[in-house]
Structures are given as structure tokens and as C-alpha cells.
């Protein structure tokens, strides 16, 4: 398992459009993806889970990937949250 902590930079936080992009990207990988923010962890392949976190600008988010393509998954997902 690999993980990375990223600070959300977008003024609007992780709202519907970037959350949808995150989920669509996460679903391309076989690795299990988890997102943790403010002590709550959700499935990174669930749009409702991500939106339920209510991630605002400046929030520290941990992205964790566990599986055969975990490195590739993190490399693809971190920029979505960080931008």
C-alpha cells in the first residue's frame, strides 16, 4: 500500500466536477483507492463517498492505493486533488 497527503488548492474544493474526474480515473485501476479527510475515510471509487467529505480548499487529503497498480494510480490521482 502506498499513500500521499495532498492539500486541496482549488477555490471550490473537491466539488462535483473534480470528484467525478477523480472517480473516473480511480476506476481505471485495479488497486483499492481510499480517500481520508478530517478523520473520515471513503472509497475513492464512490462519487457519493467523496462528496460526503465536503472537502474545502486547504484541506489535507490522504490518498491511499493498495494493489498491483498502486503507484500508477497515485501518480494519476494526486494531480486531480492538488490542482
Amino acid at each position: 500500500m502506498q499513500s500521499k497527503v495532498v492539500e486541496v488548492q482549488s477555490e471550490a474544493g473537491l466539488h462535483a466536477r473534480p470528484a467525478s474526474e477523480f472517480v473516473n480515473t480511480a476506476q481505471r485501476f485495479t488497486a483499492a483507492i481510499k480517500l481520508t479527510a478530517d478523520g473520515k475515510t471513503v472509497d475513492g471509487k464512490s462519487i457519493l463517498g467523496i462528496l460526503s467529505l465536503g472537502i474545502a480548499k486547504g484541506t489535507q487529503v490522504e490518498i491511499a492505493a493498495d494493489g498491483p497498480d498502486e503507484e500508477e494510480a497515485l501518480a494519476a490521482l494526486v494531480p486531480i486533488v492538488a490542482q
Side-chain angles (χ1 to χ4, degrees):
M1 182 173 91
Q2 295 189 23
S3 67
K4 180 146 178 114
V5 176
V6 182
E7 183 173 322
V8 177
Q9 299 296 319
S10 170
E11 288 295 326
L14 199 58
H15 59 87
R17 190 175 318 136
S20 176
E21 181 182 352
F22 187 95
V23 168
N24 289 336
T25 302
Q27 289 176 343
R28 295 193 326 234
F29 299 97
T30 58
I33 311 293
K34 299 289 181 189
L35 226 62
T36 303
D38 297 327
K40 290 173 50 180
T41 301
V42 298
D43 181 353
K45 296 180 181 182
S46 166
I47 186 77
L48 292 177
I50 293 172
L51 292 175
S52 75
L53 293 175
I55 299 170
K57 180 181 179 178
T59 302
Q60 297 284 320
V61 177
E62 179 182 19
I63 305 168
D66 188 15
D69 52 0
E70 60 194 29
E71 287 182 43
E72 296 88 351
L74 279 180
L77 296 169
V78 166
I80 296 170
V81 175
Q83 66 184 343

